[in-house]
Amino acid sequence: EVHLVESGGGLVQPGRSLRLSCTGSGFTFGDYAMSWVRQAPGKGLEWVGLIRSKTYGGTPEYAASVKGTFTISRDDSKSIAYLQMNSLKTEDTAVYYCTRMIGTGWPVDYWGQGTLVTVSS
Amino acid sequence: DIVMTQSPDSLAVSLGERATINCKSSQSVLYSSNNKNYLAWFQQKPGQPPNLLIYWASTRESGVPDRFSGSGSGTDFTLTISSLQAEDVAVYYCQQYYSTPLTFGGGTKVEIK
């Protein structure tokens, strides 16, 4: 059974950094693109970015709202995807979901339970 | 960027009645080389992550009840719940995966009348 488990969320002050991790199990992690989606409290879903599988170059893509401040990476040997978030702002407060995709041009088929990031002084 | 617009924002439907949610994309998400619409529907129940219901605009994900169906092509899409059940109370989102940035509709909240 496919499982995605996010960790690393919490309370952080504006301007600080935080790294989220997403550990996958029940599938061959390296064969899939991994994506992050966030949801601010009481709001809708916002795609943050993705990282392709190594087969497709392992390259990341980002939403304009986070480009230059967030970085997505992966360690296939550990079945982990990371979301490094720098220069955090209050508007980055959200539940961050890790998701799996066969690749770009394919739908998200599994979601983690999410981890809450609160940016506040 | 492809903008996804859902309507209505919310709707209340009696148990056993039909619920219809619309989703419009600002440009076509139909890829002509394979004739597939790069459009998915997700269901999100309170306190839970979203769950994939429909992909390629009309293909039901494994395990999804057949009362859920998707239709449409190009820029106009519909999610239909043919006979609303109590467990269908949720927010429903459409999403295009035709191009990055991947974009979601604003969501439609479905409640029982």
Side-chain angles (χ1 to χ4, degrees):
Chain A
E1 188 181 353
V2 173
H3 284 290
L4 299 171
V5 179
E6 302 93 340
S7 59
L11 175 63
V12 61
Q13 293 179 326
R16 303 299 291 265
S17 298
L18 202 62
R19 189 179 78 163
L20 305 183
S21 300
C22 168
T23 303
S25 61
F27 64 103
T28 303
F29 189 86
D31 287 349
Y32 290 82
M34 301 302 295
S35 178
W36 291 90
V37 176
R38 68 183 180 183
Q39 187 169 36
K43 302 297 185 182
L45 302 169
E46 179 189 14
W47 178 74
V48 171
L50 62 81
I51 186 164
R52 295 177 176 83
S53 66
K54 292 289 195 295
T55 300
Y56 292 97
T59 52
E61 290 201 43
Y62 302 97
S65 58
V66 305
K67 196 169 186 178
T69 57
F70 288 13
T71 302
I72 299 174
S73 59
R74 63 190 299 155
D75 184 341
D76 292 342
S77 69
K78 297 180 180 178
S79 299
I80 300 177
Y82 300 99
L83 177 63
Q84 176 69 43
M85 304 183 291
N86 297 331
S87 304
L88 282 161
K89 307 170 188 173
T90 55
E91 52 263 42
D92 294 318
T93 294
V95 173
Y96 285 74
Y97 294 104
C98 170
T99 72
R100 188 189 85 161
M101 306 160 60
I102 293 175
T104 52
W106 289 86
V108 166
D109 61 357
Y110 282 93
W111 298 66
Q113 289 298 307
T115 187
L116 176 62
V117 173
T118 304
V119 185
S120 174
S121 54
Chain B
D1 299 3
I2 299 177
V3 177
M4 308 300 290
T5 303
Q6 283 183 237
S7 63
D9 292 336
S10 64
L11 75 161
V13 176
S14 299
L15 289 172
E17 295 299 304
R18 179 185 299 262
T20 301
I21 300 168
N22 300 300
C23 175
K24 188 174 183 68
S25 57
S26 61
Q27 62 190 76
S28 177
V29 298
L30 173 64
Y31 193 37
S32 56
S33 66
N34 59 12
N35 202 37
K36 287 183 180 289
N37 288 282
Y38 286 54
L39 189 284
W41 289 97
F42 296 91
Q43 175 193 63
Q44 186 177 32
K45 296 182 179 180
Q48 296 183 20
N51 183 51
L52 177 64
L53 293 177
I54 303 280
Y55 57 99
W56 304 130
S58 61
T59 301
R60 206 177 299 117
E61 173 71 331
S62 176
V64 173
D66 61 7
R67 64 180 179 272
F68 292 93
S69 64
S71 63
S73 185
T75 61
D76 291 279
F77 300 91
T78 300
L79 174 70
T80 301
I81 310 172
S82 61
S83 176
L84 191 75
Q85 304 300 303
E87 60 265 32
D88 301 334
V89 168
V91 179
Y92 293 84
Y93 295 93
C94 61
Q95 184 215 22
Q96 66 80 21
Y97 49 98
Y98 182 89
S99 64
T100 55
L102 308 182
T103 47
F104 292 90
T108 297
K109 187 175 185 178
V110 174
E111 300 173 306
I112 304 296
K113 186 187 291 182

